[in-house]
Amino acid sequence: MELKPTPPHDAKQRYLKKKQAHVSDKTYYNYNTALKRLLEFLDERNIDDMRDVDSDELVRFESWRLDSVKPITCRNDMRTVSNFIQFCESIQAVPVGLHELVIPTKVSEDDEICDDILTRQEASNILEYLNKYEYASTRHVTTLILWETGMRIGGLRALDLKDFD
């Protein structure tokens, strides 16, 4: 099969357009950010056609990315890149099977757990701001419930109408 000349920026836009209808705004933002970094890397290396992207370039991108982010972020970026490359395979921009050569960054269990603690003062400052500038917004209500109850975000998301009296 003959590969088609495809500028990386064009492939990214096509990929994001396809994904936009099926993912949340936050997920779309994360995809866009990861791919923006990939394109920045490709631009630095003067790669202006997806046909020139191979597994070696993707390994170099991972290494480049690890210079500026934590392994967990790099792992998530590489998962997005793998999905993007798979999309590029479907439009004949890169060789079929290239996505299988994208191996997500190894992350230790300690790196997967965030142990940051929100202090009472930080919470007070956040809630004061939200109360003044974003009163009754989703962010305000969510933050207030999480702070007052001590529940996790997943617990809040799991609440149903029948859970309330």
Side-chain angles (χ1 to χ4, degrees):
M1 164 175 42
E2 183 89 18
L3 296 180
K4 298 177 180 176
T6 309
H9 294 276
D10 178 53
K12 174 191 165 198
Q13 291 309 317
R14 292 171 65 186
Y15 173 78
L16 291 175
K17 185 174 183 179
K18 183 174 181 173
K19 288 290 185 182
Q20 190 167 23
H22 303 28
V23 299
S24 70
D25 290 343
K26 177 70 174 164
T27 300
Y28 180 86
Y29 173 83
N30 291 338
Y31 288 170
N32 187 40
T33 301
L35 295 178
K36 190 184 303 182
R37 297 298 164 252
L38 175 63
L39 269 54
E40 181 181 319
F41 172 79
L42 295 176
D43 285 345
E44 281 183 14
R45 305 209 19 103
N46 296 317
I47 295 174
D48 58 2
D49 190 330
M50 289 304 296
R51 294 178 298 180
D52 297 328
V53 175
D54 59 18
S55 59
D56 186 48
E57 288 299 335
L58 296 172
V59 169
R60 289 176 195 271
F61 168 70
E62 179 184 31
S63 178
W64 178 82
R65 195 73 178 114
L66 281 168
D67 288 341
S68 58
V69 298
K70 292 184 178 183
I72 188 102
T73 301
C74 188
R75 180 188 68 182
N76 294 338
D77 287 355
M78 294 308 292
R79 286 179 175 169
T80 300
V81 167
S82 178
N83 288 333
F84 171 67
I85 294 298
Q86 190 170 19
F87 168 79
C88 289
E89 291 172 16
S90 73
I91 62 170
Q92 300 175 342
V94 299
V96 172
L98 181 59
H99 80 280
E100 294 172 4
L101 301 176
V102 179
I103 301 168
T105 308
K106 297 278 188 221
V107 178
S108 72
E109 193 173 306
D110 290 341
D111 287 336
E112 290 195 41
I113 300 168
C114 178
D115 55 6
D116 293 345
I117 297 172
L118 181 64
T119 67
R120 183 178 305 278
Q121 185 59 49
E122 290 170 329
S124 294
N125 290 345
I126 291 168
L127 289 170
E128 184 179 311
Y129 172 87
L130 292 172
N131 194 46
K132 184 174 183 179
Y133 296 106
E134 296 184 38
Y135 184 76
S137 67
T138 301
R139 282 175 21 140
H140 181 219
V141 172
T142 300
T143 305
L144 187 58
I145 291 171
L146 292 173
W147 180 250
E148 291 293 329
T149 64
M151 74 171 51
R152 295 173 181 232
I153 293 172
L156 181 59
R157 285 191 181 131
L159 290 176
D160 292 322
L161 191 56
K162 66 180 184 208
D163 296 326
F164 295 93
D165 184 3

